[in-house]
Amino acid sequence: AGACSRQRQPFVFLAALFLGTFILSQARAQGIQSLRADPSGHFLVTEDGKPFVWQGDTLWGALSLGPADIDYYLDTRKAQGFNVIQMMAHRNDYAGNPPFAQTNPVSLHEAHWAYIDSIVAKAAARNMYVCLFLMWGQNADTLFPDPYNNNYQYGKLVGQRYATNNAVIFAGSGEYHKIVAPGDWKTL
């Protein structure tokens, strides 16, 4: 039980960080309202208490698009009624910049994250949210040399970067094949 418990430690943290529902920011970003769970915990509301209907579009490859293509994409999706764009953060951007300057200890590649910042700002200017998926669940123990510590560092750095940005919503993917027993989810 001890070895099994030790093996789960990185994933307990990841579950709290990435596989939870949504971690929502606390301060304003370009006038966009923060989101929170309503008192029942069953749906999202804006900071003024109005129900928030998530009309999301998924563009996993958003980072492969250049700035003009991002503008076109956001304008099109806004005109179509979308208010959330879901995208991956751990892929190289259109200029070839990787997400990390180094992986142990983790440091973010500034040009890559500045590009994500610009996408978030463009979305917020259109009163849209960006739901960032920091990694696929299946990468939780392979993305970094020291999964437990490096995943923590990654989450902390990105969390600090967007702590006051209402336009960013964090989410995690549930595609993690190593948790197979139903009881494992209760542990997490």
Side-chain angles (χ1 to χ4, degrees):
C4 184
S5 190
R6 173 76 177 130
Q7 290 175 335
R8 287 188 186 159
Q9 285 179 351
F11 310 113
V12 171
F13 174 76
L14 286 174
L17 184 63
F18 298 120
L19 301 177
T21 54
F22 301 103
I23 303 169
L24 304 171
S25 59
Q26 300 299 310
R28 292 195 177 277
Q30 296 185 14
I32 197 166
Q33 290 194 28
S34 64
L35 302 175
R36 60 180 168 76
D38 83 305
S40 74
H42 293 285
F43 57 91
L44 295 174
V45 295
T46 58
E47 64 190 53
D48 60 7
K50 294 180 182 168
F52 179 77
V53 178
W54 186 296
Q55 296 292 327
D57 185 46
T58 301
L59 183 62
W60 295 135
L63 291 172
S64 66
L65 300 178
D69 290 328
I70 288 291
D71 288 335
Y72 177 79
Y73 171 78
L74 291 172
D75 287 340
T76 301
R77 290 302 180 257
K78 181 66 178 176
Q80 292 170 333
F82 291 95
N83 59 7
V84 178
I85 301 304
Q86 300 165 167
M87 62 179 274
M88 293 302 300
H90 80 289
R91 295 182 175 167
N92 288 2
D93 65 29
Y94 77 102
N97 296 311
F100 310 108
Q102 63 183 33
T103 57
N104 192 17
V106 176
S107 64
L108 303 178
H109 190 284
E110 186 54 35
H112 175 88
W113 289 91
Y115 189 56
I116 293 176
D117 295 346
S118 75
I119 294 171
V120 169
K122 289 176 178 192
R126 292 163 174 84
N127 202 33
M128 299 172 78
Y129 296 85
V130 174
C131 182
L132 280 180
F133 286 74
L134 298 185
M135 72 173 73
W136 293 118
Q138 67 195 24
N139 300 122
D141 60 349
T142 60
L143 190 60
F144 300 111
D146 180 3
Y148 182 77
N149 291 313
N150 299 149
N151 283 314
Y152 175 82
Q153 293 164 354
Y154 178 33
K156 185 175 180 179
L157 289 169
V158 176
Q160 289 171 339
R161 186 177 195 105
Y162 296 110
T164 61
N165 192 322
N166 285 344
V168 175
I169 302 167
F170 292 101
S173 73
E175 293 139 352
Y176 188 66
H177 65 281
K178 293 190 178 189
I179 300 171
V180 293
D184 286 349
W185 287 108
K186 291 179 183 174
T187 302
L188 296 174

